Amino acid sequence: MTRSSALKKEKQLRLARNTSKSRKIINIVRKNTRELQNYFISNKSQSTSNEQFTYKTRTFTGPSCQKLTDFLKQKGTDDNNNIHDYYQIIHNSFLLQLMKQTVCASCKLIWNGDMSVAKREGLYCSLVFTCCCSHEIKINTSKQCLNTSKRDINVRSVIGANFAGIGHQGLVKLCAILNVPLPIDDDHFFDTLDYLLPTFESYKLRSMKNAVEEACKKSNGRKITVSGDGTWQKRGFSSLHGVVEVLSNGPTAKVLDLERLSKKCSICTGLLSIKYSDPKKYSEIKNKHQCEVNHVGSSASMEVAGIHRLFARSKMLYNVKYAHYIGDGDAKVFPKLISDPPYEDVSITKIEDVNHFSKKMLHRLQKIAESLKKTNIDGKLGIRGSGRMTKS
Ligand SMILES: [Zn+2]
Ligand SMILES: [Zn+2]
C-alpha cells in the first residue's frame, strides 16, 4: 500500500469514527430530551414537599407549569410514534423548486408563482405560496405550544442556547452564521426562560435525587463520600453571587445538591429609588418580596458557608449523610465541618484529593531542597542534581 493510499484510508477511518461518535452524542441527547419530555408529562401528579426546590407549591407559577405540562402532553401523544417529528433546515429556493413540480389546485396548471413570509416570530414563520392565478397556500413552520402563544421551535431554541451555554447572544450569532432568521429578541428569550424554569427546577431535583440513590447503592448505605466545590460569578473575591455544590465520588461524579449564594438582591436595590418618595409602597413591596440575599459576609466565605449548608440539609432532603469529604482547594471548609458538625452521630472524615495532595507534596519537597541547599550531603551541596532529586 502506498503512503498516500494509507493516509487516505486512515482519513476515512477517522471520518467514520467521528461520524459514529457524533451519532452517539446525538442519540444520547435525543434520549435525554425524550426523557425530559416524558418527565414533564409524568411529573404532573408528582408533588414534592420541599418548597426550596419546586415552584409548584407557589401559586404564582402554577399556571406556567400547567401550560408546559399540557403542551408536552399534547406533543407526547401526537408525536411519540411519528418518525417525522423533527425539523429540517431547507433553503427557500428548494421549497420553490418543489412547488414548481406541483399542479395548482385552482387553475389546474403547473404551479407558477412566488413565496412570501406572512408572519415571523423568531425562528417560526408563516409562509404563503401564491400562484400566478392568485391562489394562496399558507403553511406554518412550527407548531404552537398548547394554551400559549409560544412556538415550539422558539421554546426549543431557548432550551438549546441554555444547554449549550451560549445564551441569547450566542444563539443570535449561530443563527446569523447558519443564515436562518434571527431568534426571538432577548425580552421574549428571558420570558420563555421564566416560563420553563419551574419545570427545570423539578427536573433538577429529580435528577439529583437519582444521583444520591446511585451514590448510596455504590457505598452500600446512606453514608456517602462527596466532594465539594464553589464558583463565583466574578473572579477576585468580590463577586456578589456564587454557587456551591456537592458531588458524588467516582469517575462519573454527579451533582447531588447545590445552592446559590447572593449578597445582593435586585428587587431590594431597585426599591431604593422609591424609598423616600413612596415609603408606603417601598415597605409594602419590601415585606412581600422573596429576597434573594442569602449570604452575609465576604465573597470568599461563600464556599465555606454554602457547603456547610448543603451538608446540614442532606438528612432532611435525601435522608443521607455525607460522611467523607474530599477536600479541594479551600482549606477552610473542612475545619468548619469539624468545628460546627452538621450531624450529631457522624463525624466527617477528610479524604485528600490527588491533585491537591500532589501539589502540597511538591511544595514541601521544594521547601526541603531549598533548606538543604547549603548543606554538604555525600560530598555535594544540597540534594538536587542528576542521580539525586530532580525537578521532573
Ligand atoms: Zn394557480
Ligand atoms: Zn431583596
Side-chain angles (χ1 to χ4, degrees), residues 32 36 101-102 131 148 150 157 159 181 237 270 287 299 337 350:
N32 287 345
L36 195 66
Q101 288 170 39
T102 62
C131 179
T148 77
K150 296 181 198 314
S157 66
I159 298 174
F237 297 111
N287 292 336
S299 304
L337 292 173
K350 186 181 181 181

Side-chain angles (χ1 to χ4, degrees), residues 265 268 289 291-292:
C265 165
C268 284
H289 90 295
C291 197
E292 288 166 12

Side-chain angles (χ1 to χ4, degrees), residues 98-113:
L98 174 77
M99 286 303 288
K100 282 175 182 164
Q101 288 170 39
T102 62
V103 174
C104 172
S106 174
C107 64
K108 313 285 181 210
L109 297 170
I110 293 286
W111 189 87
N112 183 23

